[in-house]
Amino acid sequence: MTIERYYIFINKGIGRRLKEIINGLIPGLIKEPVPVRVPVRKI
């Protein structure tokens, strides 16, 4: 399973509920993706 498919599964329907249950039992086990700012060069 690629990382993209993993995040799509985790952030939709059943996957989201599963993530909430698992993180309720062991906090921080499944981390949330964090948006990262990337500097863009101006030409």
Side-chain angles (χ1 to χ4, degrees):
M1 178 182 286
T2 64
I3 194 77
E4 293 88 9
R5 288 186 187 210
Y6 167 76
Y7 279 123
I8 289 170
F9 171 75
I10 286 298
N11 290 314
K12 292 203 176 185
I14 296 173
R16 182 175 293 148
R17 300 243 331 135
L18 182 63
K19 178 176 67 174
E20 290 171 1
I21 292 168
I22 292 174
N23 279 341
L25 296 173
I26 305 171
L29 184 63
I30 299 178
K31 300 188 185 321
E32 292 288 327
V34 178
V36 178
R37 293 185 65 157
V38 178
V40 177
R41 239 178 170 178
K42 293 183 179 178
I43 298 176

PDB file of all heavy atoms in Angstrom, residues 1-38:
ATOM      1  N   MET A   1       0.860  -1.177   0.000  1.00  0.00           N
ATOM      2  CA  MET A   1       0.000   0.000   0.000  1.00  0.00           C
ATOM      3  C   MET A   1       0.904   1.237   0.000  1.00  0.00           C
ATOM      4  O   MET A   1       1.786   1.368   0.830  1.00  0.00           O
ATOM      5  CB  MET A   1      -0.881  -0.012   1.243  1.00  0.00           C
ATOM      6  CG  MET A   1      -1.778   1.190   1.347  1.00  0.00           C
ATOM      7  SD  MET A   1      -2.803   1.231   2.828  1.00  0.00           S
ATOM      8  CE  MET A   1      -4.002   0.007   2.460  1.00  0.00           C
ATOM      9  N   THR A   2       0.663   2.126  -0.938  1.00  0.00           N
ATOM     10  CA  THR A   2       1.467   3.342  -0.994  1.00  0.00           C
ATOM     11  C   THR A   2       1.004   4.328   0.070  1.00  0.00           C
ATOM     12  O   THR A   2      -0.105   4.218   0.600  1.00  0.00           O
ATOM     13  CB  THR A   2       1.360   4.010  -2.374  1.00  0.00           C
ATOM     14  OG1 THR A   2       0.012   4.425  -2.568  1.00  0.00           O
ATOM     15  CG2 THR A   2       1.809   3.079  -3.481  1.00  0.00           C
ATOM     16  N   ILE A   3       1.837   5.282   0.389  1.00  0.00           N
ATOM     17  CA  ILE A   3       1.511   6.259   1.429  1.00  0.00           C
ATOM     18  C   ILE A   3       0.286   7.095   1.037  1.00  0.00           C
ATOM     19  O   ILE A   3      -0.514   7.462   1.887  1.00  0.00           O
ATOM     20  CB  ILE A   3       2.746   7.148   1.739  1.00  0.00           C
ATOM     21  CG1 ILE A   3       2.554   7.925   3.046  1.00  0.00           C
ATOM     22  CG2 ILE A   3       3.043   8.112   0.623  1.00  0.00           C
ATOM     23  CD1 ILE A   3       2.748   7.098   4.258  1.00  0.00           C
ATOM     24  N   GLU A   4       0.128   7.369  -0.263  1.00  0.00           N
ATOM     25  CA  GLU A   4      -1.033   8.138  -0.712  1.00  0.00           C
ATOM     26  C   GLU A   4      -2.326   7.377  -0.439  1.00  0.00           C
ATOM     27  O   GLU A   4      -3.292   7.930   0.070  1.00  0.00           O
ATOM     28  CB  GLU A   4      -0.939   8.481  -2.201  1.00  0.00           C
ATOM     29  CG  GLU A   4       0.171   9.447  -2.543  1.00  0.00           C
ATOM     30  CD  GLU A   4       1.492   8.750  -2.812  1.00  0.00           C
ATOM     31  OE1 GLU A   4       1.523   7.501  -2.909  1.00  0.00           O
ATOM     32  OE2 GLU A   4       2.510   9.455  -2.905  1.00  0.00           O
ATOM     33  N   ARG A   5      -2.344   6.098  -0.778  1.00  0.00           N
ATOM     34  CA  ARG A   5      -3.543   5.279  -0.541  1.00  0.00           C
ATOM     35  C   ARG A   5      -3.807   5.126   0.949  1.00  0.00           C
ATOM     36  O   ARG A   5      -4.949   5.079   1.377  1.00  0.00           O
ATOM     37  CB  ARG A   5      -3.388   3.915  -1.194  1.00  0.00           C
ATOM     38  CG  ARG A   5      -3.482   4.018  -2.694  1.00  0.00           C
ATOM     39  CD  ARG A   5      -3.474   2.670  -3.315  1.00  0.00           C
ATOM     40  NE  ARG A   5      -3.387   2.820  -4.762  1.00  0.00           N
ATOM     41  CZ  ARG A   5      -3.900   1.954  -5.596  1.00  0.00           C
ATOM     42  NH1 ARG A   5      -4.502   0.888  -5.158  1.00  0.00           N
ATOM     43  NH2 ARG A   5      -3.799   2.156  -6.883  1.00  0.00           N
ATOM     44  N   TYR A   6      -2.738   5.044   1.736  1.00  0.00           N
ATOM     45  CA  TYR A   6      -2.889   4.947   3.188  1.00  0.00           C
ATOM     46  C   TYR A   6      -3.608   6.185   3.722  1.00  0.00           C
ATOM     47  O   TYR A   6      -4.565   6.081   4.473  1.00  0.00           O
ATOM     48  CB  TYR A   6      -1.505   4.804   3.832  1.00  0.00           C
ATOM     49  CG  TYR A   6      -1.510   4.998   5.321  1.00  0.00           C
ATOM     50  CD1 TYR A   6      -1.991   4.005   6.162  1.00  0.00           C
ATOM     51  CD2 TYR A   6      -1.016   6.169   5.884  1.00  0.00           C
ATOM     52  CE1 TYR A   6      -1.994   4.178   7.531  1.00  0.00           C
ATOM     53  CE2 TYR A   6      -1.012   6.347   7.253  1.00  0.00           C
ATOM     54  CZ  TYR A   6      -1.494   5.350   8.073  1.00  0.00           C
ATOM     55  OH  TYR A   6      -1.497   5.529   9.424  1.00  0.00           O
ATOM     56  N   TYR A   7      -3.171   7.373   3.319  1.00  0.00           N
ATOM     57  CA  TYR A   7      -3.798   8.602   3.804  1.00  0.00           C
ATOM     58  C   TYR A   7      -5.225   8.757   3.283  1.00  0.00           C
ATOM     59  O   TYR A   7      -6.088   9.250   3.982  1.00  0.00           O
ATOM     60  CB  TYR A   7      -2.964   9.838   3.446  1.00  0.00           C
ATOM     61  CG  TYR A   7      -1.818  10.042   4.413  1.00  0.00           C
ATOM     62  CD1 TYR A   7      -0.507  10.112   3.967  1.00  0.00           C
ATOM     63  CD2 TYR A   7      -2.046  10.154   5.776  1.00  0.00           C
ATOM     64  CE1 TYR A   7       0.536  10.294   4.858  1.00  0.00           C
ATOM     65  CE2 TYR A   7      -1.010  10.325   6.668  1.00  0.00           C
ATOM     66  CZ  TYR A   7       0.272  10.402   6.210  1.00  0.00           C
ATOM     67  OH  TYR A   7       1.291  10.573   7.088  1.00  0.00           O
ATOM     68  N   ILE A   8      -5.484   8.324   2.066  1.00  0.00           N
ATOM     69  CA  ILE A   8      -6.850   8.380   1.538  1.00  0.00           C
ATOM     70  C   ILE A   8      -7.757   7.469   2.362  1.00  0.00           C
ATOM     71  O   ILE A   8      -8.851   7.856   2.759  1.00  0.00           O
ATOM     72  CB  ILE A   8      -6.883   7.978   0.045  1.00  0.00           C
ATOM     73  CG1 ILE A   8      -6.244   9.072  -0.804  1.00  0.00           C
ATOM     74  CG2 ILE A   8      -8.311   7.719  -0.425  1.00  0.00           C
ATOM     75  CD1 ILE A   8      -6.012   8.685  -2.254  1.00  0.00           C
ATOM     76  N   PHE A   9      -7.285   6.257   2.686  1.00  0.00           N
ATOM     77  CA  PHE A   9      -8.080   5.330   3.486  1.00  0.00           C
ATOM     78  C   PHE A   9      -8.307   5.873   4.898  1.00  0.00           C
ATOM     79  O   PHE A   9      -9.418   5.837   5.416  1.00  0.00           O
ATOM     80  CB  PHE A   9      -7.381   3.970   3.564  1.00  0.00           C
ATOM     81  CG  PHE A   9      -8.043   3.028   4.542  1.00  0.00           C
ATOM     82  CD1 PHE A   9      -9.237   2.419   4.219  1.00  0.00           C
ATOM     83  CD2 PHE A   9      -7.479   2.769   5.777  1.00  0.00           C
ATOM     84  CE1 PHE A   9      -9.869   1.556   5.119  1.00  0.00           C
ATOM     85  CE2 PHE A   9      -8.087   1.921   6.682  1.00  0.00           C
ATOM     86  CZ  PHE A   9      -9.289   1.312   6.356  1.00  0.00           C
ATOM     87  N   ILE A  10      -7.244   6.385   5.514  1.00  0.00           N
ATOM     88  CA  ILE A  10      -7.327   6.859   6.904  1.00  0.00           C
ATOM     89  C   ILE A  10      -8.238   8.081   7.020  1.00  0.00           C
ATOM     90  O   ILE A  10      -8.871   8.285   8.046  1.00  0.00           O
ATOM     91  CB  ILE A  10      -5.907   7.184   7.436  1.00  0.00           C
ATOM     92  CG1 ILE A  10      -5.154   5.880   7.702  1.00  0.00           C
ATOM     93  CG2 ILE A  10      -5.938   8.025   8.684  1.00  0.00           C
ATOM     94  CD1 ILE A  10      -5.765   4.992   8.758  1.00  0.00           C
ATOM     95  N   ASN A  11      -8.315   8.904   5.996  1.00  0.00           N
ATOM     96  CA  ASN A  11      -9.075  10.152   6.106  1.00  0.00           C
ATOM     97  C   ASN A  11     -10.480  10.067   5.526  1.00  0.00           C
ATOM     98  O   ASN A  11     -11.138  11.086   5.350  1.00  0.00           O
ATOM     99  CB  ASN A  11      -8.285  11.295   5.468  1.00  0.00           C
ATOM    100  CG  ASN A  11      -7.074  11.639   6.295  1.00  0.00           C
ATOM    101  OD1 ASN A  11      -7.169  11.760   7.505  1.00  0.00           O
ATOM    102  ND2 ASN A  11      -5.939  11.768   5.665  1.00  0.00           N
ATOM    103  N   LYS A  12     -10.970   8.875   5.209  1.00  0.00           N
ATOM    104  CA  LYS A  12     -12.340   8.719   4.715  1.00  0.00           C
ATOM    105  C   LYS A  12     -13.113   7.759   5.596  1.00  0.00           C
ATOM    106  O   LYS A  12     -12.546   6.837   6.156  1.00  0.00           O
ATOM    107  CB  LYS A  12     -12.333   8.178   3.281  1.00  0.00           C
ATOM    108  CG  LYS A  12     -11.779   9.163   2.306  1.00  0.00           C
ATOM    109  CD  LYS A  12     -12.261   8.871   0.933  1.00  0.00           C
ATOM    110  CE  LYS A  12     -11.732   9.971   0.035  1.00  0.00           C
ATOM    111  NZ  LYS A  12     -12.193   9.894  -1.278  1.00  0.00           N
ATOM    112  N   GLY A  13     -14.404   7.974   5.727  1.00  0.00           N
ATOM    113  CA  GLY A  13     -15.368   7.100   6.370  1.00  0.00           C
ATOM    114  C   GLY A  13     -14.888   6.166   7.454  1.00  0.00           C
ATOM    115  O   GLY A  13     -14.571   6.569   8.559  1.00  0.00           O
ATOM    116  N   ILE A  14     -14.836   4.873   7.135  1.00  0.00           N
ATOM    117  CA  ILE A  14     -14.492   3.840   8.108  1.00  0.00           C
ATOM    118  C   ILE A  14     -13.070   4.040   8.632  1.00  0.00           C
ATOM    119  O   ILE A  14     -12.805   3.847   9.812  1.00  0.00           O
ATOM    120  CB  ILE A  14     -14.639   2.435   7.480  1.00  0.00           C
ATOM    121  CG1 ILE A  14     -16.100   2.193   7.115  1.00  0.00           C
ATOM    122  CG2 ILE A  14     -14.119   1.362   8.413  1.00  0.00           C
ATOM    123  CD1 ILE A  14     -16.337   0.922   6.331  1.00  0.00           C
ATOM    124  N   GLY A  15     -12.171   4.443   7.765  1.00  0.00           N
ATOM    125  CA  GLY A  15     -10.782   4.671   8.178  1.00  0.00           C
ATOM    126  C   GLY A  15     -10.677   5.757   9.232  1.00  0.00           C
ATOM    127  O   GLY A  15      -9.898   5.651  10.170  1.00  0.00           O
ATOM    128  N   ARG A  16     -11.485   6.815   9.084  1.00  0.00           N
ATOM    129  CA  ARG A  16     -11.472   7.905  10.061  1.00  0.00           C
ATOM    130  C   ARG A  16     -11.958   7.408  11.416  1.00  0.00           C
ATOM    131  O   ARG A  16     -11.366   7.719  12.448  1.00  0.00           O
ATOM    132  CB  ARG A  16     -12.340   9.068   9.575  1.00  0.00           C
ATOM    133  CG  ARG A  16     -12.318  10.251  10.526  1.00  0.00           C
ATOM    134  CD  ARG A  16     -13.070  11.436   9.971  1.00  0.00           C
ATOM    135  NE  ARG A  16     -12.348  11.933   8.809  1.00  0.00           N
ATOM    136  CZ  ARG A  16     -12.918  12.494   7.761  1.00  0.00           C
ATOM    137  NH1 ARG A  16     -14.221  12.617   7.705  1.00  0.00           N
ATOM    138  NH2 ARG A  16     -12.204  12.922   6.759  1.00  0.00           N
ATOM    139  N   ARG A  17     -13.024   6.595  11.428  1.00  0.00           N
ATOM    140  CA  ARG A  17     -13.538   6.050  12.692  1.00  0.00           C
ATOM    141  C   ARG A  17     -12.509   5.116  13.327  1.00  0.00           C
ATOM    142  O   ARG A  17     -12.298   5.141  14.531  1.00  0.00           O
ATOM    143  CB  ARG A  17     -14.849   5.306  12.468  1.00  0.00           C
ATOM    144  CG  ARG A  17     -15.929   6.169  11.889  1.00  0.00           C
ATOM    145  CD  ARG A  17     -17.143   6.395  12.703  1.00  0.00           C
ATOM    146  NE  ARG A  17     -17.484   5.340  13.609  1.00  0.00           N
ATOM    147  CZ  ARG A  17     -17.847   5.578  14.860  1.00  0.00           C
ATOM    148  NH1 ARG A  17     -17.901   6.797  15.293  1.00  0.00           N
ATOM    149  NH2 ARG A  17     -18.161   4.591  15.657  1.00  0.00           N
ATOM    150  N   LEU A  18     -11.863   4.287  12.491  1.00  0.00           N
ATOM    151  CA  LEU A  18     -10.838   3.375  12.985  1.00  0.00           C
ATOM    152  C   LEU A  18      -9.679   4.163  13.606  1.00  0.00           C
ATOM    153  O   LEU A  18      -9.180   3.819  14.672  1.00  0.00           O
ATOM    154  CB  LEU A  18     -10.337   2.501  11.842  1.00  0.00           C
ATOM    155  CG  LEU A  18      -9.295   1.457  12.173  1.00  0.00           C
ATOM    156  CD1 LEU A  18      -9.869   0.435  13.144  1.00  0.00           C
ATOM    157  CD2 LEU A  18      -8.820   0.765  10.912  1.00  0.00           C
ATOM    158  N   LYS A  19      -9.280   5.248  12.935  1.00  0.00           N
ATOM    159  CA  LYS A  19      -8.196   6.093  13.446  1.00  0.00           C
ATOM    160  C   LYS A  19      -8.573   6.700  14.787  1.00  0.00           C
ATOM    161  O   LYS A  19      -7.756   6.724  15.709  1.00  0.00           O
ATOM    162  CB  LYS A  19      -7.891   7.195  12.428  1.00  0.00           C
ATOM    163  CG  LYS A  19      -6.819   8.169  12.879  1.00  0.00           C
ATOM    164  CD  LYS A  19      -6.491   9.179  11.794  1.00  0.00           C
ATOM    165  CE  LYS A  19      -7.649  10.092  11.550  1.00  0.00           C
ATOM    166  NZ  LYS A  19      -7.362  11.183  10.625  1.00  0.00           N
ATOM    167  N   GLU A  20      -9.833   7.175  14.926  1.00  0.00           N
ATOM    168  CA  GLU A  20     -10.277   7.756  16.193  1.00  0.00           C
ATOM    169  C   GLU A  20     -10.256   6.716  17.311  1.00  0.00           C
ATOM    170  O   GLU A  20      -9.833   7.013  18.427  1.00  0.00           O
ATOM    171  CB  GLU A  20     -11.674   8.335  16.046  1.00  0.00           C
ATOM    172  CG  GLU A  20     -11.735   9.570  15.182  1.00  0.00           C
ATOM    173  CD  GLU A  20     -13.158  10.013  14.873  1.00  0.00           C
ATOM    174  OE1 GLU A  20     -14.121   9.375  15.353  1.00  0.00           O
ATOM    175  OE2 GLU A  20     -13.304  11.002  14.132  1.00  0.00           O
ATOM    176  N   ILE A  21     -10.686   5.494  17.017  1.00  0.00           N
ATOM    177  CA  ILE A  21     -10.698   4.431  18.027  1.00  0.00           C
ATOM    178  C   ILE A  21      -9.276   4.073  18.451  1.00  0.00           C
ATOM    179  O   ILE A  21      -8.971   3.987  19.641  1.00  0.00           O
ATOM    180  CB  ILE A  21     -11.439   3.181  17.490  1.00  0.00           C
ATOM    181  CG1 ILE A  21     -12.930   3.502  17.321  1.00  0.00           C
ATOM    182  CG2 ILE A  21     -11.233   1.998  18.416  1.00  0.00           C
ATOM    183  CD1 ILE A  21     -13.696   2.451  16.545  1.00  0.00           C
ATOM    184  N   ILE A  22      -8.392   3.877  17.480  1.00  0.00           N
ATOM    185  CA  ILE A  22      -7.011   3.498  17.797  1.00  0.00           C
ATOM    186  C   ILE A  22      -6.309   4.616  18.554  1.00  0.00           C
ATOM    187  O   ILE A  22      -5.606   4.365  19.540  1.00  0.00           O
ATOM    188  CB  ILE A  22      -6.239   3.123  16.514  1.00  0.00           C
ATOM    189  CG1 ILE A  22      -6.813   1.829  15.945  1.00  0.00           C
ATOM    190  CG2 ILE A  22      -4.749   2.986  16.787  1.00  0.00           C
ATOM    191  CD1 ILE A  22      -6.241   1.432  14.607  1.00  0.00           C
ATOM    192  N   ASN A  23      -6.486   5.876  18.123  1.00  0.00           N
ATOM    193  CA  ASN A  23      -5.851   6.991  18.826  1.00  0.00           C
ATOM    194  C   ASN A  23      -6.461   7.196  20.201  1.00  0.00           C
ATOM    195  O   ASN A  23      -5.816   7.750  21.084  1.00  0.00           O
ATOM    196  CB  ASN A  23      -5.921   8.283  18.007  1.00  0.00           C
ATOM    197  CG  ASN A  23      -4.837   8.343  16.958  1.00  0.00           C
ATOM    198  OD1 ASN A  23      -3.848   7.638  17.044  1.00  0.00           O
ATOM    199  ND2 ASN A  23      -5.015   9.182  15.965  1.00  0.00           N
ATOM    200  N   GLY A  24      -7.709   6.773  20.417  1.00  0.00           N
ATOM    201  CA  GLY A  24      -8.311   6.838  21.747  1.00  0.00           C
ATOM    202  C   GLY A  24      -7.661   5.850  22.697  1.00  0.00           C
ATOM    203  O   GLY A  24      -7.489   6.126  23.882  1.00  0.00           O
ATOM    204  N   LEU A  25      -7.278   4.687  22.174  1.00  0.00           N
ATOM    205  CA  LEU A  25      -6.625   3.671  22.999  1.00  0.00           C
ATOM    206  C   LEU A  25      -5.148   4.004  23.236  1.00  0.00           C
ATOM    207  O   LEU A  25      -4.651   3.898  24.346  1.00  0.00           O
ATOM    208  CB  LEU A  25      -6.731   2.296  22.328  1.00  0.00           C
ATOM    209  CG  LEU A  25      -8.153   1.740  22.164  1.00  0.00           C
ATOM    210  CD1 LEU A  25      -8.116   0.473  21.330  1.00  0.00           C
ATOM    211  CD2 LEU A  25      -8.785   1.483  23.522  1.00  0.00           C
ATOM    212  N   ILE A  26      -4.460   4.393  22.169  1.00  0.00           N
ATOM    213  CA  ILE A  26      -3.035   4.736  22.254  1.00  0.00           C
ATOM    214  C   ILE A  26      -2.856   6.106  21.591  1.00  0.00           C
ATOM    215  O   ILE A  26      -2.730   6.193  20.366  1.00  0.00           O
ATOM    216  CB  ILE A  26      -2.158   3.689  21.534  1.00  0.00           C
ATOM    217  CG1 ILE A  26      -2.450   2.297  22.077  1.00  0.00           C
ATOM    218  CG2 ILE A  26      -0.684   4.039  21.677  1.00  0.00           C
ATOM    219  CD1 ILE A  26      -1.806   1.180  21.297  1.00  0.00           C
ATOM    220  N   PRO A  27      -2.881   7.191  22.383  1.00  0.00           N
ATOM    221  CA  PRO A  27      -2.793   8.538  21.805  1.00  0.00           C
ATOM    222  C   PRO A  27      -1.533   8.734  20.956  1.00  0.00           C
ATOM    223  O   PRO A  27      -0.436   8.353  21.350  1.00  0.00           O
ATOM    224  CB  PRO A  27      -2.756   9.455  23.034  1.00  0.00           C
ATOM    225  CG  PRO A  27      -3.346   8.643  24.134  1.00  0.00           C
ATOM    226  CD  PRO A  27      -3.004   7.219  23.826  1.00  0.00           C
ATOM    227  N   GLY A  28      -1.730   9.330  19.785  1.00  0.00           N
ATOM    228  CA  GLY A  28      -0.616   9.662  18.903  1.00  0.00           C
ATOM    229  C   GLY A  28      -0.087   8.518  18.062  1.00  0.00           C
ATOM    230  O   GLY A  28       0.929   8.673  17.388  1.00  0.00           O
ATOM    231  N   LEU A  29      -0.744   7.356  18.079  1.00  0.00           N
ATOM    232  CA  LEU A  29      -0.247   6.214  17.309  1.00  0.00           C
ATOM    233  C   LEU A  29      -0.324   6.487  15.805  1.00  0.00           C
ATOM    234  O   LEU A  29       0.636   6.259  15.074  1.00  0.00           O
ATOM    235  CB  LEU A  29      -1.019   4.946  17.655  1.00  0.00           C
ATOM    236  CG  LEU A  29      -0.518   3.671  16.988  1.00  0.00           C
ATOM    237  CD1 LEU A  29       0.896   3.356  17.448  1.00  0.00           C
ATOM    238  CD2 LEU A  29      -1.434   2.522  17.286  1.00  0.00           C
ATOM    239  N   ILE A  30      -1.470   6.986  15.355  1.00  0.00           N
ATOM    240  CA  ILE A  30      -1.622   7.340  13.937  1.00  0.00           C
ATOM    241  C   ILE A  30      -1.564   8.858  13.859  1.00  0.00           C
ATOM    242  O   ILE A  30      -2.456   9.555  14.314  1.00  0.00           O
ATOM    243  CB  ILE A  30      -2.955   6.814  13.371  1.00  0.00           C
ATOM    244  CG1 ILE A  30      -3.010   5.300  13.475  1.00  0.00           C
ATOM    245  CG2 ILE A  30      -3.122   7.266  11.921  1.00  0.00           C
ATOM    246  CD1 ILE A  30      -4.306   4.699  12.997  1.00  0.00           C
ATOM    247  N   LYS A  31      -0.498   9.348  13.282  1.00  0.00           N
ATOM    248  CA  LYS A  31      -0.288  10.799  13.224  1.00  0.00           C
ATOM    249  C   LYS A  31      -1.102  11.428  12.105  1.00  0.00           C
ATOM    250  O   LYS A  31      -1.358  10.816  11.086  1.00  0.00           O
ATOM    251  CB  LYS A  31       1.190  11.092  13.031  1.00  0.00           C
ATOM    252  CG  LYS A  31       2.048  10.553  14.163  1.00  0.00           C
ATOM    253  CD  LYS A  31       3.454  11.036  14.033  1.00  0.00           C
ATOM    254  CE  LYS A  31       4.405  10.474  15.042  1.00  0.00           C
ATOM    255  NZ  LYS A  31       4.027  10.293  16.355  1.00  0.00           N
ATOM    256  N   GLU A  32      -1.491  12.683  12.335  1.00  0.00           N
ATOM    257  CA  GLU A  32      -2.199  13.457  11.317  1.00  0.00           C
ATOM    258  C   GLU A  32      -1.170  14.055  10.356  1.00  0.00           C
ATOM    259  O   GLU A  32      -0.112  14.519  10.790  1.00  0.00           O
ATOM    260  CB  GLU A  32      -2.968  14.602  11.978  1.00  0.00           C
ATOM    261  CG  GLU A  32      -4.110  14.143  12.836  1.00  0.00           C
ATOM    262  CD  GLU A  32      -5.271  13.627  12.018  1.00  0.00           C
ATOM    263  OE1 GLU A  32      -5.502  14.132  10.915  1.00  0.00           O
ATOM    264  OE2 GLU A  32      -5.930  12.706  12.494  1.00  0.00           O
ATOM    265  N   PRO A  33      -1.455  14.054   9.060  1.00  0.00           N
ATOM    266  CA  PRO A  33      -0.541  14.725   8.136  1.00  0.00           C
ATOM    267  C   PRO A  33      -0.556  16.227   8.406  1.00  0.00           C
ATOM    268  O   PRO A  33      -1.605  16.819   8.635  1.00  0.00           O
ATOM    269  CB  PRO A  33      -1.107  14.399   6.755  1.00  0.00           C
ATOM    270  CG  PRO A  33      -2.500  13.963   6.987  1.00  0.00           C
ATOM    271  CD  PRO A  33      -2.589  13.450   8.389  1.00  0.00           C
ATOM    272  N   VAL A  34       0.625  16.832   8.402  1.00  0.00           N
ATOM    273  CA  VAL A  34       0.755  18.259   8.687  1.00  0.00           C
ATOM    274  C   VAL A  34       1.175  18.960   7.408  1.00  0.00           C
ATOM    275  O   VAL A  34       2.167  18.578   6.783  1.00  0.00           O
ATOM    276  CB  VAL A  34       1.815  18.491   9.786  1.00  0.00           C
ATOM    277  CG1 VAL A  34       2.000  19.957  10.070  1.00  0.00           C
ATOM    278  CG2 VAL A  34       1.449  17.723  11.043  1.00  0.00           C
ATOM    279  N   PRO A  35       0.419  19.998   7.008  1.00  0.00           N
ATOM    280  CA  PRO A  35       0.833  20.738   5.802  1.00  0.00           C
ATOM    281  C   PRO A  35       2.159  21.463   6.059  1.00  0.00           C
ATOM    282  O   PRO A  35       2.373  22.012   7.125  1.00  0.00           O
ATOM    283  CB  PRO A  35      -0.307  21.722   5.563  1.00  0.00           C
ATOM    284  CG  PRO A  35      -1.092  21.764   6.826  1.00  0.00           C
ATOM    285  CD  PRO A  35      -0.801  20.523   7.596  1.00  0.00           C
ATOM    286  N   VAL A  36       3.031  21.417   5.078  1.00  0.00           N
ATOM    287  CA  VAL A  36       4.349  22.037   5.197  1.00  0.00           C
ATOM    288  C   VAL A  36       4.469  23.120   4.145  1.00  0.00           C
ATOM    289  O   VAL A  36       4.162  22.897   2.980  1.00  0.00           O
ATOM    290  CB  VAL A  36       5.458  20.967   4.980  1.00  0.00           C
ATOM    291  CG1 VAL A  36       6.829  21.599   5.050  1.00  0.00           C
ATOM    292  CG2 VAL A  36       5.322  19.856   5.987  1.00  0.00           C
ATOM    293  N   ARG A  37       4.919  24.292   4.582  1.00  0.00           N
ATOM    294  CA  ARG A  37       5.121  25.382   3.626  1.00  0.00           C
ATOM    295  C   ARG A  37       6.464  25.187   2.937  1.00  0.00           C
ATOM    296  O   ARG A  37       7.472  24.950   3.581  1.00  0.00           O
ATOM    297  CB  ARG A  37       5.095  26.714   4.338  1.00  0.00           C
ATOM    298  CG  ARG A  37       3.716  27.014   4.906  1.00  0.00           C
ATOM    299  CD  ARG A  37       3.682  28.374   5.482  1.00  0.00           C
ATOM    300  NE  ARG A  37       3.871  29.330   4.381  1.00  0.00           N
ATOM    301  CZ  ARG A  37       3.486  30.568   4.417  1.00  0.00           C
ATOM    302  NH1 ARG A  37       2.920  31.051   5.476  1.00  0.00           N
ATOM    303  NH2 ARG A  37       3.677  31.367   3.394  1.00  0.00           N
ATOM    304  N   VAL A  38       6.447  25.306   1.628  1.00  0.00           N
ATOM    305  CA  VAL A  38       7.667  25.143   0.849  1.00  0.00           C
ATOM    306  C   VAL A  38       7.980  26.473   0.188  1.00  0.00           C
ATOM    307  O   VAL A  38       7.132  27.042  -0.497  1.00  0.00           O
ATOM    308  CB  VAL A  38       7.465  24.054  -0.249  1.00  0.00           C
ATOM    309  CG1 VAL A  38       8.722  23.920  -1.086  1.00  0.00           C
ATOM    310  CG2 VAL A  38       7.074  22.743   0.384  1.00  0.00           C
TER     311      VAL A  38
END
